[in-house]
Amino acid sequence: MKQAQGLSCFMILIIYPIFLSTSIVESLVYNVGDSENWNTGVNYLSWSQKYNFTLGDTLVFNYVLTQHNTCVVTQATYQSCNSSTGVLARYESGNDQIVLNEAKKYWFICDVPGHCSGGMRFAINVYDNNNNNNNNNNNTAVLPPSTDQNSGTKGSWRASLLIFSIAAALAL
Ligand SMILES: [Cu+2]
């Protein structure tokens, strides 16, 4: 009885990380601004440069309702901070979840007066990991071209987990 319990605990320890790593590889959820959320006084340029965003990932904009909003805009509107034109989508729930479902460049701003020019804006490149040559020509501005490396790292991490689990299971 005790042995069986130990065995099932051990199996959970093996199997759980596999499920976990699978979901991490498939798509990631990014809280914009990390612990500082979507707010004034945060440098979103450096935040956006920390990550490689891939197709299917989700950006979550967390902020106090009515104090901010999230606008997906054109490059021109991103640069001018003039949101009278060029707003492609607008969110104002306080917990805006935007799925990056196209491999392209995205521009985000908060269009509450003064906030965009005050720093509440950033641009990201979203890569399709299955087709890396797709969108690399205009990607020099924001992200280094390290998507290949990144997916390779994720893949080998997953493979070593699998090998470790099989080896552990055989050892039983
Ligand atoms: Cu704002």
Side-chain angles (χ1 to χ4, degrees):
M1 184 63 186
K2 205 173 181 183
Q3 206 173 10
Q5 271 183 345
L7 184 67
S8 53
C9 282
F10 190 56
M11 290 307 285
I12 288 168
L13 279 176
I14 294 170
I15 292 165
Y16 183 64
I18 296 177
F19 278 112
L20 208 63
S21 75
T22 302
S23 62
I24 287 169
V25 168
E26 295 313 321
S27 62
L28 292 168
V29 177
Y30 295 93
N31 186 49
V32 175
D34 296 329
S35 59
E36 304 193 80
N37 295 326
W38 185 227
N39 211 338
T40 48
V42 180
N43 187 336
Y44 291 99
L45 181 66
S46 59
W47 178 83
S48 67
Q49 288 175 341
K50 286 199 293 186
Y51 304 107
N52 290 316
F53 301 98
T54 55
L55 202 58
D57 288 349
T58 302
L59 295 190
V60 182
F61 294 76
N62 276 304
Y63 52 90
V64 179
L65 199 63
T66 74
Q67 287 190 4
H68 303 288
N69 60 52
T70 309
C71 296
V72 183
V73 298
T74 60
Q75 182 174 19
T77 300
Y78 167 79
Q79 284 166 341
S80 68
C81 286
N82 177 357
S83 60
S84 61
T85 60
V87 176
L88 307 174
R90 184 191 185 83
Y91 306 84
E92 42 199 16
S93 72
N95 177 251
D96 307 330
Q97 315 216 358
I98 300 176
V99 179
L100 304 170
N101 53 15
E102 285 182 82
K104 64 168 191 177
K105 192 160 186 173
Y106 286 79
W107 293 274
F108 298 95
I109 70 167
C110 168
D111 84 338
V112 170
H115 289 196
C116 172
S117 53
M120 289 190 76
R121 60 172 155 172
F122 64 93
I124 60 168
N125 285 291
V126 174
Y127 295 92
D128 181 354
N129 268 349
N130 297 318
N131 186 6
N132 286 309
N133 297 325
N134 207 16
N135 204 28
N136 279 350
N137 291 337
N138 52 4
N139 276 343
T140 47
V142 172
L143 287 175
S146 57
T147 315
D148 287 333
Q149 272 181 354
N150 195 30
S151 67
T153 310
K154 283 177 185 169
S156 59
W157 156 243
R158 204 172 164 185
S160 21
L161 247 185
L162 193 65
I163 289 163
F164 170 77
S165 307
I166 291 167
L170 286 175
L172 289 173

